[in-house]
Amino acid sequence: MEEPDPGTVRAAAGGDLRAFELLVRTYQAPVWRFLRRFLADDALAEDVTQETFVRVHAKLRSYDGRSRFSSWLFAIARNAGIDAVRSRDRRTRRESGQAPAPVASPEAGTELDAALAALSIDLREALLAVEVLGLSYVEAAALLGVPAGTVKSRVHRARERLLGWLAAGEATGG
Amino acid sequence: MADAVVCEAVRASISARADGEDVTVDRGHVEGCAGCAAFESGVRSLRGALRFDVLDDVPDVATAVLARVTPRRRRPRYWLPAAAVVVVVAGVVGGVLVWPSDEPGIGGVGGGVAEAAPVAERVVDAQDEVASVAATLVVTDTAGPRRGTLRYRAPESLELALGDTRVLVGDGAWRVEGPDGVDAHANVEPFAPGAPSPLDLVLPVSAFLVAGTPELLGERDAAVGVRVPAAQVAALLEGIGTEVHPSDPVDLWLDAEHLVPLEVTVRAGEGPDRARWAAARGIESEPGDVVLSVAYEDVRVNDALAVDGLAAPATDGAVDGGFRPGPSDEPVLGMQPWRSGTVGDVTVRSWTDGRAWVKVRSTTTWTGTRLFGGLGAVRAVRLGDGVAYVADGGRTIALHADGIDLVLTGSVAPETLRRFAVELGVVGERVPATWDEAAVVDVDDVDVVPRLLLLGDGAGFEPPAVRVDGDTVTATFAGAGERVVVLTTRVDDALRPPLDPDAVGVVARGTTARWSPTRGDLEWVEGGQVWSLRSSTVGLPELVALADGMGRDAVASSTVTTVAVPTEGSLLVWVPGGLPAGFADGLRTDAGLGATTVVLGDTVQHVASGGRRIPLDAIAVDCASWSAVVPVADAAAVCRLREDEVLLGTTSATLRGIGPGGVLELANGRVLRVAGVVDDAIVGAAELVLPRAGAAAAGVATERYVLATFTGDRADAEARIRALTDVGMRVRGPGETPWLRHGDAVLPQSHLKRVFGEFAAVFRSDGRLEIDPAWQAANLVTVDLPIVGSLQCHRALVDALAGALGELEQRGLVTTIDRGAAGCWNPRVIAGTDQPSRHAWGAAFDLLPLPSGPTLDAVVEVFERWGFTWGGRWVSADPVHFEYVGTPS
């Protein structure tokens, strides 16, 4: 993932809305992609993407430049995503009295989305951190707050399960 | 088992290796172990799929986020670059256009209503006389009325107060003040394209600079009225900040003397694309409803007192635009020098006369491989003693000369701009052969033009920018304002598989055309050529009218063919992986469709010599229900079939070289007698068509799709079908697809064989195919391709693949490709089936690692232009897969 121009980040932190808008426009697509895989819910992913950037705006002044900007940004996105999952699960429990099951949105439509939704959240977020965000095990470990070895085994287990569920890539031509 | 333990360790190493860990993978084991090899390729496919970016689907949250972080602030829409839409369209095509520079060619401001053209000229001419304007504005839209004031002093000073926002533009600075924030910019170059440019609020010059045939509404009270599409006056409307559809009709009343706007009324337009656009935005309006009106009151032109005290914007907290003033210039063509200076390596000079302006940007250090400024579709014209490249219908002129590159823009008429360019004394040269614009067809070489069905006179577009790539000709027509239409045509007798999942059939040029709403693309087949009219600023009704008005003399009527519409009033519903239980019954009982029939489909194997088999694509239909949905004569042919008889599709019959009476022996021992040949169009180009009663014995059992008749609105019918279930499906109607079958995004196997040949192969238990060496020798070549290097591919694919990869390399879009995964030719079946993969023919290419974001969009566009379809658009997406569906060169 490309890093933004440090001047843009500084300007945005200093209150320049044009610079901040540039950051939003640069990163909204990867953040949304990550969240829609993470949440398996397109509409919720859009809301949480919005929430992520509102949080980014509030925290920009505290970004110290020691970690990569994209890592910092995705840590916020991931936390916003976890908050949304918890909130959704609480709501589901309250309304149905049952433990929530992962929900694949109808629009998602693909086998992959359904399979991802069926993974546990630990496996899913480890896989997405490495595959979608392109992080190394060490970087993903810092993001997820678990040891690097755990990331490695979770990513591998996630792959084994997904590949077990999915037919190989080429479908039936359309 | 020890093997399982070994495999687990090997797979863990494959996984770690894929993530960039420094571990060794036991290659020997992987090569001998189908499971581990499958895991390795699965990890790669998974990565491609996870990183895959759904085109068009990424929501834009920026506006909502900005609204939340600055809760009460409202931003006028002209912050957005005014030309964004045009850039998108032009970017698709790029290219070079050629037209005799001193002939009006087609279109042009002359056609249509005779009295209207002078209005356009009068607007452009009036700008020389306008030194200042002051007015009171009353804007009424769905948010209710807002009042404001507008004060302008030529050429660049403006003050607009509207609602709670104030915009100030001055010499080299601009500033927007809302209730909660200030956006300020200083050191801005003259007439900067990114700056707020509501000058069209004062005099809508950009709407009338090039071809446009405004409908004259009449004259009243010293005012003249014209009706134009919103795309033509986009600059004016963006200044007001209410979103309207590009095709919405706008009534514009102008002061008869000064041509300053007095009244603007926008009404909701018509057409399915407009309705779709409104629905996506939650806008409720009936065609003809007024969606926006602007009244200019108390208008004072050239009244110095009215603009007294118009101050330059304050620059505190402003962003530096990088412009540094330099010495002023000489007058040119009577225009006085205005601000000149530099922005980095670029010298900027400008001239003005009242509201009119011309700007020249130049550099002596240009190292790019396209014209300075990246102008999109251009045409080469003679200019003085040299050559110039003209873009945007003449509103932009670029010159490439020894040691200098320059671009002229301005608010003056194209002819005036051209004279201005001559006055600069720079003799333009042709661009170097390696540049994007180098493929110039000479001005006198008009061989390509008769092949074009050009838009008719009076259509409201400038002479086109024409680009020729082999059999494909692309003509980009610029119209007034932001109106752009791109016409492409290529030699082919059928549409390619649809790229837009929402494609629908419409009638144009007396045939069935396909309309792809998300691409703004109207396509049809005529005279052995496939034609496409594409636009993001011209609505479907006008595109159809443009198509109908195109010249016909280039196409002999005897050669006109039409897209087959085999089942008028029928929809095909395909669910990948099989239909849900009871689905067909639900179509009748719950979705209100008429007759339905379920079609079975599978691959069967025809016995060949040497233990090999030939894979055949077979369908099986139930005569009784099928005949209620398809043309009677052909249904009757099916109804006569005995259980052990079969029909061949027309392409299949050609491939087999057998007709009625021939015999086919299947690998399961079943012997079928050929009873006849059936039109490809009716059976989706299937190779074999069996009666339902004989399906099981031949091994055809999977329910592939349903055909169902409908009455009334096709979109309503589809909506009712989709409401039945959440599973992903594809719905096709008449004219929307060349092949009424499942999986129509790729060539049917019979057509694939027509292009890539038919092979017999030993189907091994591990999913590999041992293909007849004679087929391999005749069809496969090992070639050295850009980026990926040496690869074995089908010879029919090589030119297109090399072309696409070469373009990706040249544009820097892709720098590495995983050779092992590229799998140009890879003889295997699709996992879990006995159906050969398209890779077994060498007809597809897997791109790994797959790029993402805008780069992926560009990569997909390149592959599609070279004749590949992209698996990322499929119902069951395979985003790394690019499959050749074009005509072999």
Side-chain angles (χ1 to χ4, degrees):
Chain A
M1 193 137 316
E2 277 180 32
E3 285 295 286
D5 171 38
T8 306
V9 177
R10 270 199 306 277
D16 180 342
L17 281 174
R18 301 272 289 167
F20 176 65
E21 181 174 353
L22 184 63
L23 292 177
V24 177
R25 292 200 184 278
T26 307
Y27 287 100
Q28 62 178 354
V31 166
W32 177 78
R33 267 201 313 279
F34 169 71
L35 286 170
R36 79 179 267 275
R37 299 290 195 203
F38 186 59
L39 301 167
D41 181 336
D42 285 6
L44 186 61
E46 184 172 344
D47 290 347
V48 178
T49 303
Q50 209 187 97
E51 174 64 23
T52 298
F53 285 105
V54 171
R55 292 187 189 186
V56 165
H57 185 261
K59 293 181 177 190
L60 254 179
R61 281 176 192 282
S62 66
Y63 171 61
D64 56 13
R66 269 184 298 195
S67 56
R68 292 196 307 170
F69 179 79
S70 54
S71 305
W72 179 81
L73 174 73
F74 279 104
I76 293 175
R78 176 246 182 189
N79 288 335
I82 287 176
D83 289 349
V85 169
R86 287 187 183 135
S87 156
R88 180 177 64 188
D89 291 354
R90 271 197 304 275
R91 209 165 49 240
T92 311
R93 266 194 213 95
R94 199 167 55 235
E95 285 164 10
S96 68
Q98 289 173 356
V103 185
S105 78
E107 301 93 83
T110 69
E111 276 183 287
L112 177 61
D113 288 314
L116 267 176
L119 282 180
S120 75
I121 195 163
D122 287 349
L123 296 190
R124 189 161 73 228
E125 70 175 4
L127 182 72
L128 295 177
V130 169
E131 291 288 29
V132 180
L133 304 185
L135 301 182
S136 69
Y137 292 151
V138 173
E139 288 168 325
L143 173 69
L144 303 174
V146 296
T150 305
V151 173
K152 179 179 176 177
S153 64
R154 283 180 182 175
V155 170
H156 181 56
R157 266 166 37 221
R159 283 187 179 129
E160 285 186 318
R161 287 195 191 169
L162 285 179
L163 291 174
W165 289 330
L166 294 170
E170 183 174 321
T172 42
Chain B
M1 274 173 42
D3 274 0
V5 175
V6 171
C7 284
E8 174 51 33
V10 167
R11 289 176 200 183
S13 72
I14 289 170
S15 206
R17 179 89 196 171
D19 295 331
E21 297 292 294
D22 187 18
V23 295
T24 307
V25 176
D26 181 350
R27 303 303 323 168
H29 174 88
V30 174
E31 269 154 37
C33 173
C36 288
F39 181 81
E40 185 169 39
S41 74
V43 167
R44 283 196 297 253
S45 304
L46 194 58
R47 171 159 297 174
L50 285 168
R51 291 186 177 174
F52 142 67
D53 199 358
V54 181
L55 285 185
D56 306 326
D57 277 3
V58 177
D60 182 5
V61 302
T63 311
V65 168
L66 287 165
R68 284 178 66 186
V69 301
T70 52
R72 281 176 296 151
R73 180 143 172 265
R74 210 165 53 215
R75 294 163 57 88
R77 284 196 60 243
Y78 42 70
W79 292 114
L80 303 174
V85 179
V86 176
V87 169
V88 169
V89 173
V92 168
V93 177
V96 171
L97 65 126
V98 180
W99 198 262
S101 59
D102 40 15
E103 283 178 26
I106 57 154
V109 183
V113 180
E115 296 85 350
V119 173
E121 288 170 21
R122 280 159 65 192
V123 171
V124 174
D125 290 345
Q127 59 176 340
D128 299 343
E129 310 293 331
V130 170
S132 74
V133 177
T136 301
L137 297 185
V138 182
V139 175
T140 308
D141 58 17
T142 51
R146 281 169 285 156
R147 291 185 73 83
T149 57
L150 172 68
R151 298 201 300 160
Y152 164 80
R153 186 170 59 223
E156 276 194 289
S157 299
L158 181 118
E159 177 192 79
L160 170 68
L162 185 61
D164 48 16
T165 304
R166 189 158 166 260
V167 181
L168 289 154
V169 186
D171 307 350
W174 49 269
R175 184 179 185 88
V176 170
E177 298 175 351
D180 291 288
V182 172
D183 248 353
H185 292 254
N187 301 322
V188 177
E189 69 174 73
F191 310 103
S197 54
L199 298 189
D200 273 43
L201 282 170
V202 177
L203 191 61
V205 178
S206 69
F208 297 106
L209 269 182
V210 301
T213 47
E215 176 188 343
L216 192 66
L217 295 171
E219 304 222 12
R220 70 173 193 218
D221 306 333
V224 55
V226 290
R227 178 169 294 162
V228 294
Q232 182 166 347
V233 288
L236 188 162
L237 296 172
E238 283 180 4
I240 293 160
T242 301
E243 195 176 16
V244 300
H245 189 262
S247 70
D248 286 347
V250 179
D251 289 358
L252 180 63
W253 287 89
L254 303 164
D255 176 82
E257 185 186 352
H258 298 292
L259 285 302
V260 170
L262 299 175
E263 199 179 294
V264 182
T265 307
V266 186
R267 291 191 166 79
E270 295 180 313
D273 54 332
R274 206 279 177 193
R276 182 189 168 91
W277 171 90
R281 286 160 182 76
I283 298 171
E284 288 179 17
S285 56
E286 294 294 317
D289 287 356
V290 173
V291 292
L292 168 68
S293 73
V294 185
Y296 289 63
E297 297 173 352
D298 191 22
V299 178
R300 280 163 291 164
V301 178
N302 297 344
D303 176 351
L305 283 179
V307 293
D308 191 35
L310 187 55
T315 55
D316 52 293
V319 176
D320 186 345
F323 178 73
R324 300 291 176 261
S328 83
D329 239 287
E330 295 296 312
V332 176
L333 290 181
M335 288 183 99
Q336 296 306 308
W338 180 241
R339 299 192 293 128
S340 293
T342 56
V343 179
D345 290 345
V346 177
T347 302
V348 184
R349 295 181 289 162
S350 66
W351 291 263
T352 185
D353 188 4
R355 152 90 166 81
W357 59 272
V358 170
K359 177 165 80 169
V360 178
R361 306 182 91 243
S362 59
T363 181
T364 57
T365 56
W366 183 243
T367 55
T369 57
R370 52 175 56 202
L371 284 169
F372 173 51
L375 307 183
V378 298
R379 60 195 167 103
V381 299
R382 295 196 190 94
L383 184 85
D385 298 328
V387 174
Y389 293 86
V390 172
D392 203 14
R395 287 165 286 197
T396 301
I397 297 176
L399 293 172
H400 167 72
D402 189 20
I404 189 164
D405 286 273
L406 51 86
V407 178
L408 289 88
T409 49
S411 71
V412 297
E415 177 51 33
T416 311
L417 194 66
R418 199 147 59 199
R419 280 167 46 217
F420 215 98
V422 173
E423 290 293 317
L424 294 176
V426 174
V427 178
E429 298 168 3
R430 292 212 173 260
V431 298
T434 52
W435 284 25
D436 274 12
E437 296 89 352
V440 176
V441 181
D442 196 79
V443 169
D444 301 318
D445 179 11
V446 292
D447 283 354
V448 298
V449 177
R451 292 172 52 202
L452 288 177
L453 296 183
L454 296 166
L455 303 189
D457 281 350
F461 292 92
E462 288 288 309
V466 181
R467 180 190 177 99
V468 181
D469 300 292
D471 275 345
T472 302
V473 179
T474 306
T476 304
F477 295 84
E482 297 186 352
R483 286 158 50 82
V484 177
V485 173
V486 179
L487 169 67
T488 50
T489 181
R490 63 189 157 80
V491 177
D492 206 346
D493 57 6
L495 298 182
R496 288 189 185 152
L499 296 171
D500 185 340
D502 295 331
V504 296
V506 298
V507 174
R509 292 183 74 75
T511 183
T512 304
R514 182 170 70 199
W515 166 245
S516 302
T518 60
R519 301 164 61 79
D521 196 359
L522 181 71
E523 301 163 280
W524 70 96
V525 181
E526 183 175 343
Q529 307 245 115
V530 168
W531 303 83
S532 155
L533 269 178
R534 195 167 170 194
S535 179
S536 60
T537 51
V538 173
L540 175 62
E542 190 184 349
L543 275 189
V544 170
L546 286 174
D548 288 345
M550 281 164 57
R552 288 176 181 275
D553 47 338
V555 178
S557 56
S558 61
T559 65
V560 171
T561 56
T562 55
V563 183
V565 184
T567 55
E568 185 81 48
S570 297
L571 292 176
L572 177 146
V573 186
W574 169 53
V575 178
L579 302 169
F583 186 71
D585 291 336
L587 290 178
R588 275 194 307 273
T589 56
D590 300 329
L593 276 81
T596 61
T597 187
V598 175
V599 176
L600 310 182
D602 275 309
T603 298
V604 300
Q605 294 175 358
H606 171 40
V607 174
S609 61
R612 300 195 185 96
R613 315 266 189 255
I614 298 172
L616 298 176
D617 164 46
I619 63 169
V621 300
D622 167 52
C623 148
S625 60
W626 197 63
S627 59
V629 184
V630 298
V632 172
D634 298 286
V638 173
C639 289
R640 284 195 300 271
L641 290 180
R642 297 200 315 259
E643 280 184 25
D644 63 348
E645 287 184 326
V646 64
L647 297 175
L648 303 182
T650 37
T651 301
S652 170
T654 313
L655 285 169
R656 303 253 70 72
I658 55 174
V663 170
L664 291 168
E665 184 188 351
L666 302 187
N668 67 358
R670 182 77 170 167
V671 176
L672 299 170
R673 199 181 65 81
V674 177
V677 176
V678 60
D679 188 348
D680 269 359
I682 293 168
V683 294
E687 297 185 85
L688 303 182
V689 181
L690 300 150
R692 187 69 173 254
V700 177
T702 309
E703 293 191 344
R704 292 291 178 187
Y705 59 90
V706 190
L707 291 167
T709 59
F710 70 100
T711 51
D713 187 73
R714 180 223 176 281
D716 286 350
E718 175 169 346
R720 295 197 303 273
I721 295 167
R722 289 190 181 276
L724 292 179
T725 170
D726 284 343
V727 301
M729 66 173 77
R730 181 157 284 165
V731 179
R732 299 290 194 207
E736 294 165 16
T737 175
W739 300 288
L740 203 64
R741 60 175 289 120
H742 54 290
D744 68 343
V746 298
L747 296 174
Q749 190 165 284
S750 59
H751 284 247
L752 182 81
K753 288 176 176 179
R754 197 178 64 174
V755 177
F756 292 92
E758 179 174 67
F759 59 72
V762 175
F763 286 66
R764 290 187 354 193
S765 59
D766 64 357
R768 306 295 295 175
L769 300 174
E770 289 169 8
I771 294 180
D772 178 6
W775 180 89
Q776 294 190 38
N779 291 284
L780 299 178
V781 286
T782 300
V783 287
D784 193 27
L785 292 166
I787 310 174
V788 71
S790 173
L791 212 57
Q792 198 172 21
C793 293
H794 195 287
R795 59 173 75 246
L797 173 89
V798 166
D799 287 348
L801 184 60
L805 294 177
E807 188 175 336
L808 295 179
E809 182 178 48
Q810 194 199 340
R811 289 169 58 183
L813 292 169
V814 172
T815 50
T816 58
I817 293 177
D818 181 344
R819 265 182 58 109
C824 205
W825 182 62
N826 185 359
R828 61 175 172 83
V829 295
I830 296 173
T833 75
D834 54 4
Q835 184 185 340
S837 161
R838 296 304 165 105
H839 293 287
W841 276 271
F845 185 80
D846 280 352
L847 181 65
L848 280 162
L850 191 72
S852 63
T855 309
L856 178 61
D857 298 0
V859 167
V860 169
E861 188 273 322
V862 168
F863 268 110
E864 287 181 349
R865 196 150 29 72
W866 284 97
F868 292 79
T869 190
W870 179 45
R873 298 190 203 277
W874 296 351
V875 179
S876 43
D878 185 2
V880 303
H881 186 87
F882 292 87
E883 183 165 328
Y884 190 60
V885 296
T887 310
S889 44

